[in-house]
Amino acid sequence: MNQQNKIVDWMRDNGLLKSSAKEVDTLYIEYGAGRAGLSSYVAERLEKAENIKFIIVDRDTRRRKLDKNFREEFKTFRQKMDIADFNLEKFVEHSKESN
């Protein structure tokens, strides 16, 4: 079993995988994401829901990004920047204004 699967299993066991549209908004953030492997594994375990969002932060764009596999099912944002420069509070405020 690979590392991503173990992390996602731990998330499930600890109630961090929300898959019901009736639940509160859920935001998954992957810092230093590279190809977004962990987000891809999380998305595979979730049911499609409007209230689930992914933010993928990495300072380098990569070929064969895995987030393309779940962008149609979940609102997904890829930020190309150093994780030290990412301001979650500003991002959340901006995303609320654009909805």
Side-chain angles (χ1 to χ4, degrees):
M1 184 178 253
N2 65 31
Q3 183 177 7
Q4 285 93 344
N5 270 330
K6 287 185 179 189
I7 291 170
V8 175
D9 286 344
W10 182 90
M11 291 172 69
R12 182 202 61 226
D13 294 345
N14 288 279
L16 297 174
L17 293 180
K18 306 293 182 187
S19 60
S20 171
K22 296 177 184 176
E23 296 183 46
V24 297
D25 289 348
T26 303
L27 176 64
Y28 294 101
I29 304 171
E30 184 175 0
Y31 291 108
R35 293 176 42 208
L38 181 58
S39 293
S40 177
Y41 276 86
V42 170
E44 285 179 9
R45 303 268 184 104
L46 299 172
E47 295 174 23
K48 183 178 179 177
E50 294 289 325
N51 64 329
I52 297 175
K53 297 176 183 150
F54 286 85
I55 299 175
I56 299 162
V57 181
D58 197 67
R59 68 177 160 190
D60 189 23
T61 38
R62 307 275 181 176
R63 288 184 174 178
R64 298 181 301 264
K65 296 175 197 148
L66 295 173
D67 52 307
K68 69 181 177 197
N69 297 335
F70 59 88
R71 272 190 227 142
E72 292 180 13
E73 295 180 42
F74 302 101
K75 195 170 228 180
T76 305
F77 306 92
R78 180 175 275 273
Q79 299 295 303
K80 182 182 176 186
M81 64 176 56
D82 192 290
I83 60 175
D85 299 326
F86 181 72
N87 183 324
L88 179 60
E89 184 176 8
K90 285 184 180 178
F91 183 85
V92 170
E93 287 174 16
H94 176 70
S95 66
K96 285 181 182 178
E97 292 170 4
S98 63
N99 285 336

